[in-house]
Amino acid sequence: MSQFSTRDRRTLREMLHPLPRPVEVWAFAGPDSPTDATNWLYELAEITAGRIGVTVFSDAAALASTMGVVARPSFRVVGAGGEVAPLDIVGIPTGYQFGAFVQLVMALAKNKSQLPHNRSSAVKNVPQDTVMEIWVTPTCPHSPQLVRLAEDYALANPARLFVRVIDAIQYAEMVPEGVEAVPHLRLFQDGELVGERTGMTPAGDLWRMIQRGRKGDGKQ
């Protein structure tokens, strides 16, 4: 049974078939993952005539640990040159989050961040290992904008910046205390929580949070 409507398939084909470079999606799906955890990916690969490849890891515990997988199913995107995008999608992307996933694939295929040149250059100088953890839901129309912004920062400095997007509905048991609405951003540097914010976060505010880090508590 198709995971997408005829109209969705046509739209996805138009958006993704002309990708300038192929990309691959790594799916970490455990034995308890739902049966539809990866079916949508195989159909997406078929729709794009192979421009999107799929590799499913059902057991690779060592690789999952190395990749920092915190729950299954989760998804990583790999560029044509073997570069793994600094982003972990925890939970099947549905609703608005599926759109954010498609935008990520397109950005990685183009192999560039959408940040202005001056901001992109500044991000390259971030010295701390920084994780932007974003809690989302499929029905929140504001979450994709924050996710896309965080991705742009991470793509500008993949050695230091990383984004983890977690579906608060699929992983309700993992939602941290104090997270009562989405999108909710938690910023970690060198493993320490240094800032968090609920709601929309403009590009300048997110950059100031990253810069401030250990200089202050960063709480908003």
Side-chain angles (χ1 to χ4, degrees), residues 47-89:
I47 290 172
T48 60
R51 298 299 286 174
I52 295 178
V54 178
T55 300
V56 176
F57 299 98
S58 297
D59 190 10
L63 177 61
S65 177
T66 300
M67 299 293 292
V69 172
V70 298
R72 301 181 188 223
S74 67
F75 306 89
R76 304 292 296 272
V77 183
V78 184
E83 67 279 13
V84 181
L87 174 74
D88 185 18
I89 302 170

Side-chain angles (χ1 to χ4, degrees), residues 4-218:
F4 305 102
S5 68
T6 300
R7 180 179 179 180
D8 288 340
R9 288 175 61 90
R10 182 171 59 251
T11 300
L12 288 168
R13 186 177 294 111
E14 291 173 354
M15 293 177 64
L16 297 173
H17 185 67
L19 291 178
R21 305 191 316 158
V23 299
E24 184 171 4
V25 180
W26 290 1
F28 291 88
D32 298 327
S33 296
T35 55
D36 60 350
T38 54
N39 289 347
W40 64 278
L41 274 176
Y42 289 119
E43 186 170 357
L44 196 58
E46 181 269 321
I47 290 172
T48 60
R51 298 299 286 174
I52 295 178
V54 178
T55 300
V56 176
F57 299 98
S58 297
D59 190 10
L63 177 61
S65 177
T66 300
M67 299 293 292
V69 172
V70 298
R72 301 181 188 223
S74 67
F75 306 89
R76 304 292 296 272
V77 183
V78 184
E83 67 279 13
V84 181
L87 174 74
D88 185 18
I89 302 170
V90 183
I92 303 169
T94 59
Y96 286 107
Q97 292 312 308
F98 179 73
F101 170 81
V102 171
Q103 292 297 320
L104 169 67
V105 168
M106 295 174 66
L108 196 61
K110 296 176 182 178
N111 195 31
K112 66 177 182 178
S113 164
Q114 299 300 309
L115 292 178
H117 178 72
N118 61 334
R119 182 63 56 79
S120 180
S121 298
V123 172
K124 287 180 170 61
N125 295 320
V126 173
Q128 304 99 333
D129 289 331
T130 301
V131 175
M132 292 168 279
E133 179 185 274
I134 306 174
W135 290 87
V136 302
T137 62
T139 56
C140 174
H142 304 296
S143 294
Q145 184 176 343
L146 177 57
V147 169
R148 191 70 196 91
L149 174 61
E151 289 170 1
D152 280 336
Y153 276 107
L155 289 172
N157 187 352
R160 288 295 189 183
L161 275 65
F162 185 84
V163 181
R164 176 169 288 115
V165 180
I166 309 175
D167 189 305
I169 302 298
Q170 295 180 52
Y171 291 96
E173 74 282 358
M174 292 173 54
V175 177
E177 183 178 353
V179 178
E180 299 177 351
V182 295
H184 188 94
L185 167 69
R186 302 208 308 163
L187 185 74
F188 296 83
Q189 288 190 332
D190 295 335
E192 178 183 341
L193 178 63
V194 296
E196 56 185 312
R197 177 170 177 156
T198 299
M200 294 306 299
T201 303
D205 288 358
L206 179 54
W207 175 232
R208 282 186 286 274
M209 288 178 70
I210 294 171
Q211 284 183 302
R212 182 162 56 241
R214 290 176 177 270
K215 296 178 182 177
D217 63 15

